[in-house]
Amino acid sequence: MVRRKRKSKGQSGESGVPTPSGAAAEVKPPQIPVQQAPSSALKLPKGAIRRINIGQSFAEYDVALSDPAMFVHTSALAAAQNTESGKVFFVGRRGTGKTAIRKYCDENGYLTRVIVPEIFSPSSTLQEIDLLRNTKQRPFRSLVSAFRRALQVEILSIWQESRPVNYQTPNELAEELESFGYLDFDIRCLSFIQMISGALASGDDERWLIENKAAKKIADQMKLLGSGGLSTHTLLIDSIDDYWEGSDEGLIYLTAFMHACLETSTQIPWARVILFLRENIFERVRALDTESSRLETAVVGMEWTERQLLEVVERRLNRNLTAKFGLNGATWEAFFENSEIAWRNVLEYCQKRPRDILIYTSNAVEAAQSAGHEKILIEDVQQARRTFSDNRFRDLGDEYAENYPHISLVLSRFYGLGNTFTFGGVESFIRKLLNDSEVIRLCGSWLYDNSSPERFIRLLYDVGFVGIRTSGKQPKFRALGPLDTSPPPVSETTDIVIHRCYWDALDLQDRLVRHLPEQKEFGKIGIVEDDLPGGLDPTEYAANIDLVVETLNDLPLGPAGATDFEEIVGDVIKLCFFRGLENVEERSRDLEGRVIRDWVAANRAQGGFWESMRVRYDAVQVIWECKNYSELSADDFHQLSYYMTDIGGRFVVLAFRGEVKPSYFQHLRRIATHNRGFVLPLTERDLMVFLRQAKNGKIKEDHIQNKYDSIVRKLS
């Protein structure tokens, strides 16, 4: 959907390559930059604490971000807004603001479109992987050309939508749009890849040259189109990791796609592609790509200063006040007792990410509200520490689940130990891990490759779990963006210090660990295992998911497999959405014994996607309908509208085996209009993503949220 530019009251921001705040207890962050004001000016209105609404810390769920005044101006936002900046890749760790910038650009930009691609989990390739690794050879360049052409068609589609109906499109561009413009972006990418790779694989040089030059030919025509002056048309590419499985094929596809984004942005003056990417994925691309220096010139890190982090919170604290307090510390001082100590406490436990700051502050506000305080006291800040620590530990395991499946299990083995380890202490810890059958079963795929002390320390450093201390100096923690990722040298005199934000979650002791006795058992931490469904332990849970995946892969389409498909969808609900959906019941029948719906689950989520569906559609119950075929008919959608009631709610999930087609949207739009409800179609690929993420220990609901957002955009 093309969005017109709207006037805004403020500027946005989220970005990040800060140097992380030291995590050791002795490291003291700078004092809060408070602007002094008379005490009378800082007096809170009566009941102000009860009215605070910090909002969601996850940008994709945060209603507050619909207000441009909630954003903070950062260098990353400035680069995103500046069409002449030459910046294409916005790279940072989770929680540094990538999605928030994307939302700001989409809502407040001009001629923009958001794409969440699924192409980076290919089930097969038309070329041998080894042939694709060389970024200078034909196979890889063919991929770049295919992706570039797909991006150009998407930009042309935005351009065409902004033209009058009777506007005469140049013939070659009109033909390109007519042939490929109607296709879904991922299907279009696959079509171009098949066309050019097929010619290459068959040795047809003439056809390969024609296909390879097609992208450049269209680009030349687009340049001419803009010779009279055109506003910049922008594609915003986000949530790459939603579908990306981290396979060699997916990594090569992503690397080629990044080159295509850069070439499209630099070679067509009025076109721009912005890609938001997690730093752990970017690091893998940089390790693979011998030409990565080209990409790095177009990278923006997600940098945050302490003053900007403070402003993020202050804008939200001021949100519900009629008379606003000043920024730069005045608002914080008005709301918090002993404001400098409170800010020091928050910074000491956070990693200079806006999400961390918002979560911690929100926890402190809730503590003050529960106690009925008229100001947020220092004990409220300290009480919030444990909740925040538990949240951060869970989020860390979720963030790196794609790279290191079930890494939270390995990190949980630090439970009850010391907060600092010598090199020898790390060696003995690794030996105990390698004798832990549960750890080997779930984490062996990556743990064996990182079992030397040097590599294990580097891994813990890279994910932000530890800092490295040498020669009695302060520990160094890694940066949050793509820069400065190399740790200090590791030797036998090296100590590792676990970041302060994980101390409470792991009940760490304030001591140095030099050696762990072989006979000493690891402690247990409930956060990893206590919420798995059906009392399953992690090994059984992973085995159940493997069985569901295997069954789905082998399941035939049609009536013969209908019952099995329904059972599979039921397993997906129970294994992947048990945190929000409870009491999953089997199919319901009418008085004549006919099945009228397949699954119904109670929606008792306390946050995230499912809670937002309950609030928006009164969905105290979520109905799941299962169709074991690839093509949906009008009757299928007509049937779903009967499921929507004022009692159970008006939100239905439709699981089927095909792809979402443009013709389906007229039915979805009709249901949204006439029934005031919403049908969310989920494909077989979506089910596979849910299962894969659950097995890897990923609990964030970003994939289903993105599916919902995508449908909403297409219906509007």
Side-chain angles (χ1 to χ4, degrees):
M1 183 180 76
V2 179
R3 298 188 184 272
R4 298 294 182 180
K5 194 171 189 177
R6 299 200 298 247
K7 293 182 179 179
S8 61
K9 298 178 181 178
Q11 290 178 301
S12 134
E14 318 262 333
S15 103
V17 182
T19 302
S21 55
E26 66 270 25
V27 180
K28 296 192 176 185
Q31 291 186 341
I32 177 175
V34 174
Q35 289 184 343
Q36 298 299 325
S39 58
S40 58
L42 298 177
K43 186 176 181 180
L44 283 177
K46 186 175 179 60
I49 296 298
R50 294 195 300 272
R51 297 197 300 273
I52 295 176
N53 182 5
I54 296 294
Q56 273 277 1
S57 56
F58 289 86
E60 51 266 50
Y61 311 134
D62 194 0
V63 178
L65 293 183
S66 60
D67 180 3
M70 289 299 102
F71 291 86
V72 176
H73 184 79
T74 63
S75 58
L77 175 66
Q81 291 178 303
N82 181 7
T83 59
E84 304 297 324
S85 70
K87 301 302 182 182
V88 176
F89 309 112
F90 288 67
V91 179
R93 281 189 64 185
R94 177 188 284 185
T96 52
K98 301 180 295 299
T99 297
I101 288 183
R102 185 263 287 171
K103 289 187 71 171
Y104 184 88
C105 291
D106 187 32
E107 293 291 335
N108 301 282
Y110 179 66
L111 299 171
T112 64
R113 180 176 293 173
V114 175
I115 297 176
V116 178
E118 304 177 17
I119 191 67
F120 304 116
S121 58
S123 57
S124 62
T125 55
L126 298 179
Q127 295 288 327
E128 294 291 335
I129 293 300
D130 289 341
L131 296 177
L132 289 167
R133 292 185 188 280
N134 192 325
T135 57
K136 297 181 179 180
Q137 297 302 313
R138 277 188 173 188
F140 182 84
R141 294 306 307 170
S142 298
L143 273 180
V144 175
S145 180
F147 283 130
R148 180 179 167 188
R149 191 175 178 186
L151 290 168
Q152 291 173 175
V153 173
E154 197 73 25
I155 290 169
L156 280 173
S157 176
I158 301 175
W159 171 82
Q160 187 181 53
E161 288 183 9
S162 67
R163 301 293 101 188
V165 177
N166 59 352
Y167 188 87
Q168 187 63 39
T169 303
N171 291 337
E172 289 190 57
L173 300 183
E175 182 179 344
E176 185 82 348
L177 282 168
E178 183 178 353
S179 300
F180 305 105
Y182 70 95
L183 293 174
D184 171 82
F185 179 77
D186 294 290
I187 301 299
R188 186 188 310 135
C189 288
L190 285 176
S191 298
F192 288 142
I193 290 171
Q194 289 170 351
M195 289 163 58
I196 195 168
S197 297
L200 186 61
S202 64
D204 190 339
D205 288 348
E206 182 178 354
R207 185 159 66 94
W208 179 82
L209 285 170
I210 292 173
E211 297 294 347
N212 194 52
K213 291 183 177 182
K216 184 178 185 305
K217 186 177 180 181
I218 296 300
D220 289 341
Q221 291 296 314
M222 292 174 71
K223 291 178 187 177
L224 293 176
L225 196 65
S227 59
L230 276 178
S231 298
T232 300
H233 294 54
T234 304
L235 293 179
L236 304 167
I237 316 291
D238 198 10
S239 302
I240 291 293
D241 58 308
D242 232 19
Y243 282 96
W244 186 63
E245 296 181 352
S247 64
D248 290 342
E249 295 92 333
L251 182 61
I252 291 169
Y253 271 44
L254 176 57
T255 304
F257 185 76
M258 292 180 69
H259 280 273
C261 291
L262 182 60
E263 291 179 12
T264 301
S265 299
T266 55
Q267 297 181 19
I268 302 174
W270 54 276
R272 190 183 187 197
V273 182
I274 295 179
L275 175 64
F276 299 94
L277 193 63
R278 286 233 307 264
E279 57 81 23
N280 58 313
I281 298 177
F282 178 70
E283 287 304 312
R284 290 197 61 189
V285 171
R286 187 155 64 176
L288 170 76
D289 188 5
T290 57
E291 299 290 317
S292 64
S293 57
R294 296 185 182 182
L295 305 179
E296 290 173 16
T297 60
V299 169
V300 174
M302 306 299 289
E303 297 176 351
W304 284 88
T305 66
E306 291 176 12
R307 186 176 295 275
Q308 289 166 344
L309 291 170
L310 179 62
E311 186 179 337
V312 168
V313 181
E314 289 188 312
R315 286 181 179 275
R316 290 170 184 253
L317 291 172
N318 265 323
R319 185 180 171 199
N320 291 333
L321 297 181
T322 303
K324 312 292 185 186
F325 290 98
L327 302 179
N328 295 326
T331 300
W332 183 272
E333 186 173 352
F335 277 88
F336 283 81
E337 177 197 46
N338 296 323
S339 56
E340 291 188 10
I341 296 175
W343 181 245
R344 200 156 57 239
N345 268 264
V346 172
L347 275 186
E348 191 175 73
Y349 276 82
C350 296
Q351 292 183 312
K352 282 197 172 179
R353 296 188 291 189
R355 180 178 299 169
D356 288 1
I357 300 292
L358 289 176
I359 290 174
Y360 198 123
T361 304
S362 181
N363 292 339
V365 168
E366 290 174 5
Q369 290 171 337
S370 297
H373 296 156
E374 289 299 318
K375 200 165 186 175
I376 303 170
L377 307 182
I378 195 65
E379 51 261 41
D380 297 323
V381 176
Q382 293 172 341
Q383 183 179 331
R385 183 179 299 170
R386 178 61 186 241
T387 304
F388 172 76
S389 186
D390 288 343
N391 179 285
R392 280 300 308 126
F393 184 78
R394 186 185 293 270
D395 194 55
L396 179 67
D398 193 41
E399 179 177 1
Y400 285 95
E402 299 292 345
N403 297 67
Y404 310 108
H406 291 281
I407 188 174
S408 58
L409 183 64
V410 168
L411 301 181
S412 74
R413 295 310 195 235
F414 284 95
Y415 181 79
L417 303 177
N419 55 25
T420 307
F421 281 68
T422 66
F423 188 88
V426 172
E427 283 185 305
S428 61
F429 182 83
I430 295 170
R431 284 196 297 270
K432 290 182 63 63
L433 284 178
L434 297 178
N435 288 322
D436 188 319
S437 59
E438 187 179 41
V439 168
I440 295 304
R441 163 70 176 83
L442 297 173
C443 310
S445 60
W446 55 268
L447 183 58
Y448 281 122
D449 291 336
N450 295 279
S451 59
S452 70
E454 293 81 4
R455 291 185 66 115
F456 189 70
I457 291 173
R458 174 61 190 263
L459 187 154
L460 297 182
Y461 175 89
D462 283 346
V463 302
F465 184 68
V466 305
I468 295 176
R469 184 171 67 190
T470 57
S471 305
K473 298 178 181 178
Q474 297 290 353
K476 177 185 178 183
F477 291 84
R478 63 150 299 163
L480 297 181
L483 305 178
D484 190 29
T485 56
S486 298
V490 175
S491 68
E492 293 187 358
T493 62
T494 296
D495 295 338
I496 66 166
V497 180
I498 297 173
H499 196 286
R500 187 68 177 265
C501 69
Y502 306 115
W503 289 12
D504 291 274
L506 292 168
D507 288 329
L508 298 180
Q509 303 175 47
D510 188 12
R511 67 183 184 87
L512 178 67
V513 177
R514 300 181 182 276
H515 177 72
L516 290 176
E518 293 292 334
Q519 66 274 16
K520 179 179 173 61
E521 293 186 3
F522 281 125
K524 297 293 184 181
I525 178 171
I527 194 172
V528 176
E529 301 181 15
D530 63 1
D531 56 357
L532 291 181
L536 297 174
D537 65 37
T539 301
E540 294 170 329
Y541 179 67
N544 282 351
I545 291 177
D546 286 339
L547 180 60
V548 175
V549 170
E550 182 181 350
T551 306
L552 182 54
N553 281 329
D554 296 336
L555 188 68
L557 293 172
T563 301
D564 288 337
F565 183 63
E566 291 161 4
E567 293 300 324
I568 286 171
V569 173
D571 288 335
V572 170
I573 302 171
K574 296 169 186 174
L575 292 170
C576 303
F577 299 111
F578 59 89
R579 295 177 179 87
L581 304 182
E582 301 177 7
N583 296 335
V584 182
E585 297 181 359
E586 295 185 67
R587 296 170 291 172
S588 175
R589 300 176 182 272
D590 63 14
L591 293 177
E592 298 178 2
R594 293 173 301 189
V595 175
I596 59 174
R597 61 190 184 194
D598 292 326
W599 295 97
V600 59
N603 182 4
R604 296 176 183 171
Q606 297 301 308
F609 173 78
W610 294 111
E611 183 191 33
S612 66
M613 295 302 101
R614 187 175 67 244
V615 172
R616 190 165 296 163
Y617 303 106
D618 299 319
V620 295
Q621 305 284 339
V622 177
I623 294 170
W624 293 65
E625 182 71 9
C626 311
K627 303 296 182 184
N628 191 42
Y629 38 79
S630 58
E631 301 283 342
L632 298 175
S633 66
D635 288 341
D636 294 322
F637 292 98
H638 189 66
Q639 175 189 16
L640 300 178
S641 62
Y642 289 109
Y643 298 163
M644 298 180 178
T645 67
D646 290 337
I647 298 176
R650 298 180 297 277
F651 182 80
V652 178
V653 179
L654 173 59
F656 71 112
R657 303 288 297 277
E659 298 295 332
V660 178
K661 296 185 176 181
S663 60
Y664 298 165
F665 289 103
Q666 60 180 317
H667 304 296
L668 298 176
R669 194 175 290 109
R670 174 182 56 79
I671 292 173
T673 302
H674 294 165
N675 298 82
R676 295 176 294 113
F678 194 88
V679 173
L680 178 63
L682 296 179
T683 68
E684 178 178 340
R685 176 176 289 201
D686 294 320
L687 300 181
M688 286 294 193
V689 169
F690 298 141
L691 291 166
R692 170 177 56 83
Q693 291 183 342
K695 182 182 178 182
N696 289 341
K698 186 179 179 69
I699 62 176
K700 191 164 175 275
E701 298 171 331
D702 48 359
H703 180 69
I704 195 167
Q705 179 71 46
N706 285 330
K707 292 294 294 187
Y708 171 81
D709 292 342
S710 174
I711 299 297
V712 168
R713 282 194 295 268
K714 292 175 181 177
L715 293 181
S716 59

